[in-house]
Amino acid sequence: MTVLVVADLLQGPEVGAVAPATLNTVAAAAKIGGDIHLLVAGLNVAGIAASAARIAGVAKVLVADNAAYAHGLPENVAPLVTALVSQSGEKGYSHVLAPATSNGKNILPRVAALLDVDQISEIISVESADTFTRPIYAGNAIATVQSSAAVKVITVRATGFDAVVAEGGSAVVEAIGSVFDAGKSRFIGEALAKSDRPELTAARIVVSGGRGMGNGDNFKHLYSLADKLDAAVGASRAAVDAGFVPNDMQVGQTGKIVAPQLYIAVGISGAIQHLAGMKDSKVIVAINKDEEAPIFQVADYGLVADLFEAVPELASQM
């Protein structure tokens, strides 16, 4: 039994390494068992492949270095993954995994369609080689799913697995000569948000604001606190829909899924859609003037107070 993990690569100024969610996905693959092969597809990715070869638990790194894969276009990467599975034969890949990031969720459904198998989305645990759990109904229920497919195609919710260490491995690096260019799409451009704060999904501490912030200008209180904690800043959908902050800050079922060591929810009522995106955080602190707010039901520590008094005072103590 061999598991193929499709690596997600960091983009922008940090390009040159696999994205942190890839390490969580390798951890999920390790729980399935068998050898783990890691696919690194892109352009000029020799350095990334060399780094990936040191990831603990990875037996082989497959490198597809070609302009066709330069920006991870799913129309090109999906046929590559499918070909690797098909060429591996009966004793080949039993599972194909990718992190449930934008790239992973863009590529693997196409792979599943090409292989004519079902896909299992956003697993949070591995029960056995063919049985997995995944959240449904905005995280209010956990479904146990058993697959009889010849090849299990799976996206992994990174917050469900502790990342493996990025050093200590000594995988074999193997180049792939096959090139798949569907000619159906082309890369036009991208605009990357720049911030001195940690990236939201990878931050150890997250401070989030909700509708209770009142307006976008009041998020300055959270920015001040976040700067002192070296934290990322997030928001509820209500705050995003109200135009307080941009949607790339949204945490929740339809936003980003986070599981930091510390999550501070400020002025957030705690709708189930928001809880689905942060309830796996190790420690949850809630600040809200409504003592009946649902957020207090999941919080480890709760403070019933006016956030405009509590947050500045908290920041002043640091």
Side-chain angles (χ1 to χ4, degrees):
M1 184 166 63
T2 307
V3 181
L4 177 64
V5 174
V6 181
D8 197 9
L9 307 185
L10 288 174
Q11 301 298 319
E14 293 184 286
V15 69
V18 297
T22 301
L23 302 180
N24 302 86
T25 306
V26 171
K31 290 184 178 296
I32 294 172
D35 290 336
I36 300 173
H37 292 182
L38 184 67
L39 172 63
V40 175
L43 179 63
N44 299 324
V45 291
I48 299 176
S51 176
R54 296 192 291 271
I55 296 174
V58 175
K60 181 185 289 187
V61 175
L62 303 175
V63 187
D65 197 331
N66 191 277
Y69 311 125
H71 300 284
L73 295 177
E75 293 82 2
N76 298 343
V77 178
L80 169 65
V81 176
T82 306
L84 290 173
V85 173
S86 301
Q87 293 168 6
S88 62
E90 293 182 2
K91 297 183 179 180
Y93 297 117
S94 55
H95 300 71
V96 179
L97 272 61
T101 57
S102 296
N103 286 334
K105 290 189 284 189
N106 215 0
I107 294 168
L108 255 56
R110 290 171 165 85
V111 172
L114 291 170
L115 292 173
D116 195 25
V117 298
D118 55 312
Q119 179 191 294
I120 303 174
S121 301
E122 301 206 26
I123 67 166
I124 57 173
S125 75
V126 175
E127 303 300 306
S128 68
D130 65 355
T131 306
F132 315 90
T133 65
R134 59 180 300 269
I136 58 175
Y137 304 132
N140 285 297
I142 303 298
T144 300
V145 182
Q146 186 174 43
S147 174
S148 60
V151 179
K152 281 73 172 173
V153 178
I154 302 166
T155 58
V156 176
R157 181 172 287 193
T159 57
F161 300 88
D162 292 331
V164 298
V165 295
E167 299 291 337
S170 56
V172 175
V173 178
E174 179 181 310
I176 299 173
S178 303
V179 178
F180 295 87
D181 188 346
K184 296 180 179 179
S185 61
R186 61 191 178 93
F187 179 79
I188 301 298
E190 62 186 354
L192 299 176
K194 295 182 180 179
S195 175
D196 293 331
R197 300 187 183 91
E199 201 278 322
L200 188 56
T201 57
R204 294 182 66 256
I205 303 175
V206 174
V207 180
S208 282
R211 193 195 303 273
M213 298 303 299
N215 58 57
D217 290 340
N218 287 331
F219 265 76
K220 64 186 179 184
H221 299 296
L222 301 191
Y223 297 143
S224 176
L225 178 61
D227 289 342
K228 294 189 176 184
L229 293 172
D230 191 25
V233 179
S236 68
R237 179 171 179 173
V240 171
D241 287 349
F244 296 171
V245 291
N247 60 13
D248 62 351
M249 291 174 59
Q250 182 178 325
V251 173
Q253 182 184 12
T254 54
K256 295 179 178 178
I257 308 297
V258 301
Q261 296 295 315
L262 173 62
Y263 188 88
I264 303 176
V266 182
I268 295 176
S269 63
I272 59 173
Q273 291 84 358
H274 184 75
L275 299 183
M278 46 66 70
K279 64 186 180 70
D280 290 329
S281 303
K282 302 300 185 291
V283 177
I284 299 173
V285 175
I287 301 174
N288 200 301
K289 66 181 180 181
D290 178 9
E291 62 182 17
E292 301 297 327
I295 191 69
F296 288 121
Q297 297 176 16
V298 299
D300 298 286
Y301 301 94
L303 176 62
V304 179
D306 185 333
L307 68 89
F308 298 110
E309 296 177 1
V311 174
E313 183 177 351
L314 181 60
S316 70
Q317 300 299 315
M318 296 179 183

